[in-house]
Structures are given as C-alpha cells and as structure tokens.
Amino acid sequence: MRVLQATTLVALLGATIVSAVRPKDQVLGLPETNALPSPWFSGYLTASPTKKLHYVFIASLDDPQNDPVVVWFNGGPGCSSLLALFQEHGPFVIDDGEYYIKNNPYPWNVRANMLYIESPAGVGYSIGVNPQDRIHNDMTQSRDAFAAIQDFYSGYSEFLNNPLYISGESYAGIYVPYLAW
C-alpha cells in the first residue's frame, strides 16, 4: 500500500479547492441502531458530467483532523464497497445470516477517516447516465475514481493535510495501483 499526501494528489491535479462541507450529505442515523458514533456522510462524487460515484464518508473516532483518510474499494469488478462497510470494517455490521445491524467492536474508523467509494459507475448506487458510461476498463475506472477523489476534497478540504491511503480487496488489487500510479 502506498501512502500519498492528499495535498500532493490535489496539487498534481491543479485543482482549485474551496472549503465547503456537504451538509446535504450528512447521515443523521441508521434504522434500529444507536446514535452514530462519529459524523457520516453519503452522497455522490462527480467522476464526469454523466457519471457520479456513490460514497460514504465516516469520520475517525480518534482524531479526525489528523488521522489518515483511507479510501476503500471493493473489487469484483462490480462489487459494492458497501459490502466492506456493513460486513467487514464499518462501525456497524450485518453478519451473514442475520437481518439486523449491530455494533462492530473493531471498526477501521477507530483511527482513520474512511471513504468508501462504489466504483465503477453502475455499481451499487453509482450512476452512469448513458449506456457507454457503464463500459469500463482498468484505466477508465482509475480516471473516474481520481476525479471522484478530487471532488471529495473539494467538499471536504479540511482533510487535505491528512495522510491518504488507497486500499481495497479482490479486484481492487488492480484498481488501487492504477489509481496510485
């Protein structure tokens, strides 16, 4: 896994960053759970004029201003990153064979700000308006993810100085190096 500074990533893009929180994306609660232990956000990041990637961002429980941002991708290709959020390392999990949400005793957001991105367009709640928006290869997926991460930082600029980790499982073993490259 390669560590990048988010500021370096954005500087390479030549992006103009405007500090703006996305209050419309704030998640206020989940059904039949306790209060959310840290701020959650869910919405869409723009990958192109016709592609929007769904994301869930969960702030660190420890030190959100300094803890790293970990971007998570499930692979497949075609597997929603919500699988990892709700069955592996999110603050709440739904175990196999069960039909209720429960606290995860070992969530990754204990010491990291977690950004789950459903990618490529057409996976999970991610949107591709045109049929060609849902035709992908490794390079188009990485370009879309890169654009989505740019959009993330335009809405969450307070995390620009936090270390950035790009991670995932399964076919994300291809997504991650393409994106980091």
Side-chain angles (χ1 to χ4, degrees), residues 50-134:
T50 59
K51 293 188 236 179
K52 307 242 184 266
L53 302 185
H54 177 251
Y55 80 98
V56 176
F57 178 67
I58 303 171
S60 171
L61 293 167
D62 186 43
D63 185 5
Q65 292 76 26
N66 296 302
D67 284 345
V69 172
V70 175
V71 180
W72 181 268
F73 295 98
N74 270 63
C79 182
S80 168
S81 293
L82 297 183
L83 175 71
L85 171 60
F86 285 109
Q87 284 206 307
E88 296 173 354
H89 43 70
F92 299 101
V93 293
I94 303 168
D95 284 333
D96 286 340
E98 296 181 353
Y99 301 96
Y100 58 91
I101 298 172
K102 61 185 176 186
N103 290 328
N104 181 354
Y106 307 106
W108 284 20
N109 76 312
V110 168
R111 290 205 171 79
N113 298 291
M114 296 296 300
L115 175 59
Y116 297 89
I117 298 178
E118 294 192 282
S119 180
V123 170
Y125 293 107
S126 292
I127 299 167
V129 174
N130 304 311
Q132 64 269 24
D133 292 337
R134 294 180 297 278

Side-chain angles (χ1 to χ4, degrees), residues 153-177:
Y153 282 113
S154 74
Y156 298 93
S157 59
E158 64 271 28
F159 294 98
L160 277 169
N161 291 321
N162 298 46
L164 174 66
Y165 293 83
I166 305 168
S167 187
E169 65 184 339
S170 183
Y171 201 79
I174 301 296
Y175 294 167
V176 170

